[in-house]
């Protein structure tokens, strides 16, 4: 049975699709009996124990983030929960009738003629599948073989929701999805009333949807009552306590080893017991050290910087590019001018289909623009990590991929390193080096592509969706590497938290081939982008209004209003002059104040006002006359 068909799908219930929409109100979560309960589950793969005793339970309304390093067994645990795999021992209890839907990392569509066939498999009626495909924006009549990575993921999600299961298990559901679709998925999961168990590298996604966290480490599962937003504080508190216990055990172990070194006989019963306790303490000590090192057991990334004395790395002037498609012209860039300087960290963001990858290829000179030019620094050394990992040959072994020319070493940032030692930095064990690339998981392929790309010194590092399939600890280390990278970074990503941590500016599409550069990471870009779109809308409206308005003829003489006003002033000035003269004559009478103080005050006030009015009138007349002379000249 293929991964896509694995898991039990629920028959479609007779309920209108709108009853499940994200806006639906659900009853507040209350204490519920568990749908799933695992008790002391143990599993070994070959000689290696994977689960040492997993115990957990999940109830309706819980949305659990399952975290742990790559290889810890997260996907395997989900297969046990969904009855796709059996544990070696322990109990797995499921409430009778519980149904599951699983969204795997790489869904397989073999044997399905159309997308609708895939989504509607196992459903009593197809209207549920059609409704979900419409919600996720995919044509049901499409051939699955023609789907992009993002479309494949949306189809897999539509299949899961159409089945209306009690439990949804999601393995890296945000891979290849753009931010609007990720936010839509967040809303759907928050509205879901069953159990959600999700493995994801997208920290912002986990923070937004999870109600608790399951931490899989050293074959055990620790459960936090809080969502992933509090994971770091919770995990740190656990590790601090474990370090305290480790110190206590180390002190006791030293004392017991001192007792043993004294040659005390182990024949007597009490000494036999003490010797057994010593062996137990040694085992406990080793397990505790392994647990504390678990989060540190991640890839050691570093990127070399090639020599460059040029401050300007890339300069684009008037860049325009349009492609003809069956749906009409697709404008990637229109009159784009951009300077990328040494040390810039630019995130290129936007929905799928906005042309982010194509824009990068334009800036790198891999695609010729229709108009404009792109200039590069003379010493530009580019490392380009493509999201498709096309540089990897599935027939090659890991060893051959790292050293295609043969030998047992490779140059890493100008230094000779043994292949096994370098591969260990990226979590590949010596016994894996002869394994074919085609047999690697998505996360392992990603790490291998990073290992190959980061071995070369570069002045410009271009990364297209580098976070896909990486575990959270490896993401933290990749962030640290990028923060210490001294070259220039161009990063295409939908991972909001990763963008916030690594870039200092973002290049965002406004539509119709126009792009705007904003300061800060993804979160900062959202407010700035909203303002930029408002300005663009206002500017377009103003241009449209100006284009529609009839063009005025050049003015060569005064307007009727100015002509009329000047005639009024011509009549007003003599009147004011006469009034001022009469008032001044009256005020010259020395007996006026004694005879009539009120009349004296009134005339005095009025003469001041009249003089101000006369001055204003004369000034206005002069301004109109200057305008007349200007138009005549």
């Amino acid at each position: 049975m293929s991964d896509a068909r694995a898991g039990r799908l629920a028959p479609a219930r007779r309920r209108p699709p709108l009853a499940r929409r994200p806006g639906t109100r659900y009853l507040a979560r209350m204490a519920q009996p568990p749908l799933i309960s695992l008790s002391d589950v143990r599993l070994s793969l070959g000689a290696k124990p994977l689960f040492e005793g997993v115990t957990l339970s999940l109830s309706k309304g819980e949305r659990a983030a399952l975290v742990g390093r790559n290889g810890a067994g997260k996907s395997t645990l989900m297969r046990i929960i969904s009855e796709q795999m059996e544990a070696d021992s322990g109990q797995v209890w499921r409430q009778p009738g519980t149904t599951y839907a699983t969204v795997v990392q790489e869904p397989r569509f073999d044997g399905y003629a159309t997308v609708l066939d895939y989504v509607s498999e196992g459903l009593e009626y197809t209207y549920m599948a059609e409704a979900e495909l419409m919600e996720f924006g995919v044509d049901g009549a499409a051939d699955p073989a023609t789907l992009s990575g993002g479309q494949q993921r949306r189809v897999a999600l539509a299949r899961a929701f159409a089945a209306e299961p009690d439990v949804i298990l999601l393995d890296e559901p945000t891979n290849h999805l753009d931010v609007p679709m990720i936010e839509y998925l967040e809303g759907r999961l928050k509205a879901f009333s069953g159990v959600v168990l999700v493995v994801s590298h997208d920290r912002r996604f986990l923070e937004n949807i999870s109600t608790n966290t399951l931490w899989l480490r050293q074959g055990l599962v620790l459960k936090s009552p809080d969502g992933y937003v509090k994971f770091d504080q919770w995990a740190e508190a656990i590790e601090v306590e474990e370090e305290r216990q480790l110190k206590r055990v180390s002190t006791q172990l030293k004392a017991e080893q001192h007792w043993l070194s004294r040659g005390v006989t182990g024949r007597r019963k009490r000494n036999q017991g003490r010797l057994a306790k010593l062996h137990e303490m040694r085992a406990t000590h080793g397990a505790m050290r392994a647990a504390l090192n678990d989060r540190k057991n991640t890839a050691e990334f570093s990127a070399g910087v090639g020599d460059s004395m040029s401050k300007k790395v890339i300069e684009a002037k008037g860049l325009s590019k349009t492609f003809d498609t069956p749906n009409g012209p697709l404008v990637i860039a229109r009159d784009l001018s951009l300077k990328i300087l040494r040390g810039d960290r630019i995130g290129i963001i936007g929905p799928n289909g906005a042309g982010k990858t194509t824009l990068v290829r334009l800036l790198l000179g891999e695609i010729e623009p229709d108009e404009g030019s792109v200039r590069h620094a003379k010493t530009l050394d580019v490392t380009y990590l493509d999201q498709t990992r096309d540089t990897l040959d599935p027939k090659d072994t890991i060893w051959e991929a790292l050293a295609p020319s043969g030998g047992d070493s490779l140059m890493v940032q100008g230094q000779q390193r043994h292949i096994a030692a370098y591969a260990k930095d990226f979590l590949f064990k010596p016994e894996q080096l002869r394994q074919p690339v085609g047999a690697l998981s998505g996360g392992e392929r990603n790490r291998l592509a990073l290992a190959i790309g980061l071995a070369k010194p570069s002045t410009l590092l271009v990364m297209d969706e580098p976070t896909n399939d990486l575990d959270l600890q490896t993401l933290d280390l990749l962030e640290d590497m990028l923060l210490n990278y001294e070259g220039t970074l161009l990063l295409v990503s939908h991972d909001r938290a990763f963008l916030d941590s690594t870039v200092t500016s973002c290049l965002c599409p406004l539509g119709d081939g126009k792009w705007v550069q904003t300061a800060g990471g993804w979160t900062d870009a959202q407010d700035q982008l909203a303002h930029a779109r408002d300005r663009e809308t206002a500017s377009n409206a103003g241009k449209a209004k100006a284009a529609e308005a009839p063009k005025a003829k050049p003015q060569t003489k005064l307007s009727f209003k100015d002509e009329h006003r000047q005639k009024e002033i011509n009549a007003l000035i003599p009147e004011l002059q006469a009034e001022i003269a009469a008032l001044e004559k009256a005020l010259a009478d020395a007996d006026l104040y004694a005879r009539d103080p009120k009349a004296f005050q009134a005339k005095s006030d009025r003469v001041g006002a009249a003089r101000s009015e006369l001055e204003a009138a004369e000034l206005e007349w002069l301004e109109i006359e200057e305008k007349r002379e200007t138009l005549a000249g």
Side-chain angles (χ1 to χ4, degrees):
M1 183 181 294
S2 70
D3 286 342
R5 303 185 191 188
R8 251 183 327 151
L9 294 175
R13 299 166 187 163
R14 296 174 181 262
R15 182 153 53 95
L18 291 179
R20 306 178 283 107
R21 297 287 72 88
T24 304
R25 292 175 176 264
Y26 286 91
L27 293 176
R29 281 194 304 123
M30 301 171 60
Q32 301 261 6
L35 283 182
I36 304 162
S37 179
L38 279 66
S39 178
D40 197 29
V41 168
R42 298 173 182 271
L43 177 69
S44 295
L45 298 179
K48 176 186 175 183
L50 188 61
F51 300 142
E52 297 282 0
V54 171
T55 298
L56 64 93
S57 63
L58 294 169
S59 303
K60 276 190 174 183
E62 285 191 276
R63 299 187 297 274
L66 178 59
V67 302
R69 63 177 178 82
N70 280 352
K74 299 186 295 294
S75 298
T76 302
L77 183 61
M78 288 205 293
R79 283 196 288 271
I80 290 175
I81 289 173
S82 60
E83 300 183 77
Q84 300 175 44
M85 181 182 251
E86 288 188 4
D88 295 339
S89 63
Q91 293 183 345
V92 181
W93 179 86
R94 306 172 184 88
Q95 196 174 105
T98 299
T99 55
Y100 307 87
T102 303
V103 177
V104 297
Q105 288 191 38
E106 297 180 358
R108 299 180 61 181
F109 301 97
D110 301 343
Y112 299 97
T114 68
V115 166
L116 183 61
D117 291 341
Y118 173 81
V119 175
S120 62
E121 184 183 45
L123 302 183
E124 186 177 357
Y125 301 105
T126 62
Y127 76 88
M128 298 295 290
E130 292 168 345
E132 288 298 344
L133 285 170
M134 185 179 298
E135 290 289 327
F136 283 95
V138 184
D139 181 6
D143 182 354
T146 65
L147 300 179
S148 67
Q151 289 172 326
Q152 290 180 13
R153 189 52 46 97
R154 295 202 300 271
V155 168
L157 289 166
R159 174 185 170 107
F161 281 105
E164 291 194 310
D166 300 303
V167 180
I168 292 183
L169 304 120
L170 304 163
D171 198 350
E172 297 292 355
T174 64
N175 277 2
H176 308 295
L177 296 184
D178 56 21
V179 173
M181 183 53 65
I182 292 173
E183 291 175 341
Y184 171 75
L185 177 59
E186 288 174 356
R188 291 297 301 271
L189 292 176
K190 288 177 183 178
F192 183 69
S193 61
V195 169
V196 175
L197 182 61
V198 58
V199 173
S200 177
H201 68 271
D202 189 327
R203 289 158 294 183
R204 191 65 52 78
F205 175 75
L206 292 179
E207 289 172 359
N208 289 344
I209 64 105
S210 61
T211 60
N212 47 49
T213 308
L214 303 176
W215 186 11
L216 179 56
R217 66 199 290 261
Q218 294 297 309
L220 301 172
V221 169
L222 304 178
K223 186 173 182 178
S224 165
D226 298 309
Y228 184 75
V229 69
K230 295 184 178 180
F231 172 73
D232 284 337
Q233 301 95 304
W234 173 66
E236 185 177 355
I238 290 174
E239 290 175 341
V240 167
E241 180 58 30
E242 287 178 342
E243 286 179 352
R244 289 173 183 162
Q245 294 180 14
L246 179 60
K247 288 179 181 178
R248 288 196 295 268
V249 171
S250 297
T251 302
Q252 294 173 359
L253 184 59
K254 286 180 182 178
E256 293 299 312
Q257 286 176 331
H258 177 68
W259 165 81
L260 184 63
S261 67
R262 290 166 55 199
V264 178
T265 178
R267 294 176 182 174
R268 285 180 296 180
K269 187 174 182 180
R270 62 185 180 87
N271 285 344
Q272 288 286 353
R274 192 169 179 181
L275 190 61
K277 183 179 179 182
L278 174 60
H279 292 316
E280 182 181 344
M281 287 174 64
R282 283 175 174 168
T284 302
H285 184 267
M288 292 176 72
R289 288 187 63 87
L292 286 171
N293 290 330
D294 187 60
R295 293 184 89 191
K296 302 172 185 176
N297 186 24
T298 51
E300 297 180 5
F301 295 154
S302 62
V305 180
D307 294 330
S308 175
M309 299 301 293
S310 175
K311 185 178 181 181
K312 193 182 298 180
V313 177
I314 297 176
E315 182 177 16
K317 291 185 178 179
L319 202 63
S320 296
K321 184 66 180 180
T322 302
F323 291 96
D324 292 325
T325 71
N327 298 323
L330 174 61
V331 184
I332 301 299
R334 187 188 301 277
D335 194 26
L336 173 64
S337 294
L338 177 69
K339 290 181 181 179
I340 300 175
L341 305 180
R342 187 179 62 213
D344 281 352
R345 290 160 151 54
I346 301 175
I348 302 178
I349 65 177
N352 287 341
K356 300 184 295 295
T357 300
T358 307
L359 178 63
V360 169
R361 296 181 65 195
L362 272 171
L363 294 173
L364 294 180
E366 296 180 2
I367 298 176
E368 287 292 325
D370 298 333
E371 297 178 8
S373 62
V374 179
R375 294 180 58 189
H376 294 165
K378 293 181 180 179
T379 56
L380 186 64
D381 295 317
V382 181
T383 293
Y384 189 5
L385 299 179
D386 190 345
Q387 64 170 315
T388 61
R389 319 292 180 242
D390 285 341
T391 56
L392 299 177
D393 187 339
K395 297 179 182 178
D396 284 344
T397 63
I398 296 176
W399 188 293
E400 291 168 339
L402 289 171
S405 301
D408 59 1
S409 63
L410 75 162
M411 294 298 293
V412 178
Q413 302 165 23
Q415 296 183 351
Q416 199 82 7
R417 290 199 62 185
H418 193 277
I419 289 177
Y422 183 60
K424 186 179 179 181
D425 290 346
F426 292 83
L427 305 182
F428 292 110
K429 298 177 181 178
E431 58 268 25
Q432 289 182 277
L433 297 181
R434 298 302 178 183
Q435 185 178 355
V437 171
L440 300 179
S441 67
E444 289 170 330
R445 287 200 303 272
N446 199 352
R447 279 189 275 123
L448 180 58
L450 287 169
I452 296 170
L454 298 180
K456 299 180 293 183
S458 64
T459 55
L460 175 62
L461 180 59
V462 183
M463 310 183 86
D464 198 345
E465 295 293 354
T467 64
N468 284 353
D469 304 314
L470 292 182
D471 63 17
L472 295 169
Q473 291 106 322
T474 307
L475 273 177
D476 288 338
L477 230 62
L478 180 58
E479 284 180 4
D480 290 339
M481 182 277 291
L482 293 179
L483 290 174
N484 294 322
Y485 179 62
E486 296 178 359
T488 303
L489 173 67
L490 288 182
L491 173 64
V492 179
S493 180
H494 296 299
D495 190 321
R496 295 158 290 180
F498 189 71
L499 285 163
D500 281 342
S501 299
T502 55
V503 303
T504 55
S505 66
C506 291
L507 196 58
C508 319
L510 289 176
D512 195 31
K514 295 183 179 180
W515 297 79
V516 63
Q517 191 166 6
T518 61
W522 185 90
T523 301
D524 300 312
Q526 299 316 297
D527 290 337
Q528 298 174 58
L529 191 56
H531 292 310
R533 284 175 175 152
D534 289 342
R535 290 195 300 270
E536 182 73 12
T537 301
S539 175
N540 291 338
K543 291 176 182 178
K545 187 175 181 180
E548 293 173 1
K551 294 183 179 179
K553 295 180 179 180
Q555 188 176 354
T556 58
K557 61 180 182 178
L558 286 177
S559 66
F560 173 80
K561 181 180 178 180
D562 286 339
E563 288 279 11
H564 181 69
R565 179 56 181 162
Q566 196 172 42
K567 289 179 181 179
E568 289 180 336
I569 295 172
N570 285 336
L572 179 61
I573 288 176
E575 291 177 1
L576 288 171
Q577 289 172 337
E579 182 183 8
I580 292 170
L583 289 169
E584 287 176 345
K585 183 178 180 180
L587 290 170
D589 183 355
D591 296 329
L592 177 61
Y593 182 78
R595 291 195 312 269
D596 191 350
K598 291 183 178 180
F600 178 87
Q601 187 62 47
K603 291 181 184 296
S604 180
D605 291 342
R606 176 53 193 157
V607 73
R611 286 169 181 161
S612 297
E613 291 175 13
L614 176 61
E615 184 179 356
E618 289 173 342
L619 181 61
E620 188 177 0
W621 187 92
L622 285 172
E623 290 175 348
I624 295 174
E625 193 61 26
E626 286 178 0
K627 189 184 295 185
R628 183 197 301 277
E629 292 175 0
T630 301
L631 293 173

